[in-house]
Every structure is written in C-alpha cells, then in structure tokens.
C-alpha cells in the first residue's frame, strides 16, 4: 500500500502520530533536545489533549531562528500542528508534514545524482513514514512505541548527515 493510501486510511491517532513522527525526525535541525516532543507522544498514548504541550513546543521553537531552509521547513511542521487532534485539519497537517519531511531530506541528501535519480536519504524517509503508518494501522495504540523508535532512528540519521555536512564545509 502506498504512503498516500496509508494516510487516507489512517484514523486520528495514526494521522497525529504520522505528523508528529515526521516532525520528530526533523526537529534536531532546530534544537538538540530529543525530549522536546516526548510529551506530545505521551498524549497520543493516553489519548489526552495535547494542546497545552503543543503550546509549550511552539513557544520553545518561537525562540529558535532557523539557520537553513531545511530547519525552516522543520520548524513550520510543528508550528502548524493543529491543537485539536481530529477532523480535516489533522489530515491536512499529516499530509503536509509528510511532504515537508521529504523536502527536508531532499535538501540534505548528500547524493549529487540527477533529479530523476532516487535519493537514498529521501527513500529511507519515505520508508520510515510508511512503517509508522503501518505500525499504527496494524497495532493501534500499541504501535506507538515502535513508531517512536523508528522516528528516533531517523532523527539520528539526519543528525549524522548534518554533522558530516558541517565537517565537510569546515
């Protein structure tokens, strides 16, 4: 099943997890705090309202000036998250986060191939997005822990790419 089909079939928790996972993988471009989004994940687990925790995340990100186009895209993902985890706004956010995360990975992909060539960093991100949605579809709330693990792995990969790029430019 394609990523688009998985997003179309996802329930509210799956959509929120998908958008949050995409954001979580990219947030390291802005802050070094791997725990910044942890309260939002906790709200997905227990089904509670995340609006107050989301406001705290937004406040933390408001103070951060993105240093690159990729960081600006990452920041926009979290600043556009809906306070209510339901309805059309949630689906639009999940779709936008998917596209934004792929864009971030495209911007940072070290490959110098042509535009028609598949970029490994982008392909890996597409795979992670698919896995997160499949985990939620197959395991419901129990899939959230594994989705968080997948997201953490992607965050580490992206952080390593940025670190290598910085060393190469130094």
């Amino acid at each position: 099943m394609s990523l688009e089909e998985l997003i179309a079939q996802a329930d509210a928790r799956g959509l929120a997890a998908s958008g949050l996972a995409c954001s979580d993988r990219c947030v390291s471009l802005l802050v070094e705090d791997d725990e910044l989004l942890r309260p939002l994940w906790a709200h997905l687990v227990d089904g509670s309202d995340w609006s107050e925790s989301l406001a705290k995340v937004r406040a933390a990100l408001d103070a951060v000036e993105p240093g690159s186009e990729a960081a600006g895209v990452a920041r926009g993902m979290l600043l556009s998250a809906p306070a209510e985890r339901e309805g059309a706004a949630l689906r639009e956010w999940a779709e936008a986060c998917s596209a934004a995360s792929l864009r971030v990975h495209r911007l940072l992909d070290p490959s110098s191939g042509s535009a028609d060539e598949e970029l490994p960093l982008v392909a890996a991100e597409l795979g992670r997005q698919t896995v997160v949605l499949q985990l939620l579809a197959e395991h419901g709330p129990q899939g959230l822990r594994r989705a968080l693990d997948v997201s953490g792995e992607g965050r580490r990969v992206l952080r390593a790419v940025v670190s290598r790029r910085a060393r190469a430019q130094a």
Side-chain angles (χ1 to χ4, degrees):
M1 192 176 301
S2 74
L3 179 60
E4 293 80 13
E5 291 169 322
L6 288 167
I7 290 174
Q9 294 179 4
D11 63 7
R13 188 183 312 246
L15 292 170
S18 177
L20 184 56
C22 288
S23 300
D24 194 12
R25 286 189 293 277
C26 297
V27 75
S28 65
L29 298 173
L30 297 162
V31 295
E32 293 185 23
D33 182 2
D34 286 347
E35 299 298 312
L36 179 67
L37 303 183
R38 187 69 65 153
L40 298 177
W41 284 102
H43 291 295
L44 288 183
V45 170
D46 66 18
S48 63
D49 178 39
W50 78 355
S51 59
E52 187 175 318
S53 293
L54 182 59
K56 290 178 183 176
V57 167
R58 286 178 176 155
L61 293 179
D62 275 342
V64 177
E65 195 60 42
S68 68
E69 181 182 356
V73 172
R75 185 173 181 254
M77 283 190 269
L78 285 161
L79 294 180
S80 66
E84 300 294 322
R85 292 191 327 255
E86 57 188 38
L90 183 60
R91 185 167 306 282
E92 290 170 14
W93 179 66
E95 291 170 347
C97 283
S98 173
S101 184
L102 290 169
R103 181 172 173 217
V104 165
H105 285 76
R106 191 172 298 110
L107 288 167
L108 296 174
D109 201 300
S111 298
S112 59
S114 70
D116 294 335
E117 189 176 308
E118 185 172 295
L119 301 174
L121 194 61
V122 174
E125 172 58 14
L126 184 59
R128 284 186 196 91
Q129 288 186 29
T130 301
V131 166
V132 165
L133 285 162
Q134 288 171 334
L135 285 167
L136 276 273
E138 295 171 13
H139 303 288
Q142 293 77 21
L144 284 169
R145 178 68 204 152
R146 180 67 184 119
L148 181 59
D149 291 342
V150 168
S151 186
E153 171 195 339
R155 187 174 51 248
R156 287 185 293 278
V157 167
L158 199 60
R159 190 176 283 142
V161 167
V162 170
S163 177
R164 270 184 254 137
R165 179 179 270 198
R167 283 192 309 268
Q169 292 175 348

